[in-house]
Amino acid sequence: MSESVPLLGLFAGSVQDRWPGKAPSAIGKTAIPSGQVTQTGLTQDAQADLSVHGGLGKALHVYPADHYAAWQIDLGDNIRFQPGGFGENLSTPGWSEQDVCIGDIWQIGTTRLQISQGRQPCWKLAEHVGDKRMVKLVRQTGRTGWYLRVLDEGEITVGDTVTRIDRPHPEFSVARVAAAIFDKRTPEDEVRTIANLSELDESWRHALLKRVEAKA
């Protein structure tokens, strides 16, 4: 794995009523050339439900651009199967969930960012893509993408180099951690170990510890 890749795309959106009778969403994103990043993400971006989206631990969402070709093979042509199509903020090539780890620190432009957790897909992704199978398929394939927290605010621009500058937990890839979240059969010692990663976002830590407590 290389220690740097280019930033292919940057995306932001506003809260909109997308589907009659359902909650609003900001999953629909459009490309922007650059953006200011604060502790809660891009200033141009928004989240409709802050109880599950956004916040300090999920300020920016990254989705691997390479996944879209796989989705096209699996499900055929779809306007959403292109960078920005899954509601991500950042699109990068080359790195997948197997290649990045919880706690990885990135430098992009003048920002410093850290991987905090993978994405747990919800019904809004299925509605956005127009395929009710998407939540299940994202979990099964592990093509979740991941979230970043902001360590240093600043500006990022399409074409910037994304550089990994630290990796405190090389054994805990996003793929491994997401598998533990999605698979209730994950051994308890694995669940506890992952839950104790200080860099893991509190939402996933809570979910894992709740599972352990339920078995006690």
Side-chain angles (χ1 to χ4, degrees):
M1 172 188 170
S2 66
E3 294 195 3
S4 64
V5 295
L7 179 62
L8 292 183
L10 192 61
F11 304 92
S14 59
V15 177
Q16 298 179 5
D17 289 313
R18 301 285 306 281
W19 312 289
K22 294 183 180 292
S25 174
I27 194 172
K29 309 292 187 189
T30 56
I32 58 176
S34 63
Q36 290 291 328
V37 177
T38 71
Q39 290 292 310
T40 54
L42 289 164
T43 57
Q44 300 98 318
D45 196 36
Q47 295 83 32
D49 185 354
L50 291 173
S51 67
V52 290
H53 301 121
L56 297 179
K58 295 180 283 186
L60 296 165
H61 182 249
V62 183
Y63 201 72
D66 300 346
H67 283 346
Y68 287 114
W71 286 118
Q72 289 176 354
I73 292 171
D74 292 346
L75 300 176
D77 291 338
N78 187 310
I79 192 173
R80 304 301 183 199
F81 295 162
Q82 59 182 318
F86 276 25
E88 67 266 31
N89 299 115
L90 283 70
S91 178
T92 56
W95 294 347
S96 73
E97 292 77 7
Q98 289 77 25
D99 301 313
V100 301
C101 300
I102 299 298
D104 281 4
I105 296 178
W106 291 2
Q107 183 79 40
I108 311 178
T110 57
T111 66
R112 198 164 58 96
L113 311 160
Q114 184 174 54
I115 297 177
S116 58
Q117 68 168 73
R119 178 181 186 173
Q120 190 150 356
C122 70
W123 64 269
K124 291 182 179 180
L125 177 61
E127 290 284 350
H128 184 60
V129 172
D131 192 317
K132 294 181 179 180
R133 299 171 293 173
M134 285 308 300
V135 172
K136 180 179 180 180
L137 289 173
V138 167
R139 293 184 178 192
Q140 287 179 339
T141 62
R143 300 177 199 143
T144 64
W146 51 88
Y147 283 104
L148 303 171
R149 65 170 56 90
V150 178
L151 302 180
D152 290 328
E153 299 179 345
E155 184 175 4
I156 55 179
T157 300
V158 174
D160 279 347
T161 298
V162 181
T163 303
R164 189 189 78 213
I165 58 177
D166 194 16
R167 170 163 284 179
H169 303 296
E171 68 275 33
F172 289 101
S173 67
V174 169
R176 177 179 175 180
V177 174
I181 284 283
F182 298 146
D183 189 349
K184 298 293 198 311
R185 300 167 297 177
T186 302
E188 184 175 325
D189 59 346
E190 171 83 346
V191 171
R192 287 185 180 275
T193 299
I194 292 172
N196 284 327
L197 296 175
S198 61
E199 295 84 357
L200 185 68
D201 184 62
E202 286 301 317
S203 62
W204 272 24
R205 188 191 324 282
H206 176 75
L208 291 170
L209 291 177
K210 186 176 180 181
R211 189 187 307 171
V212 171
E213 292 167 359
K215 293 181 179 180

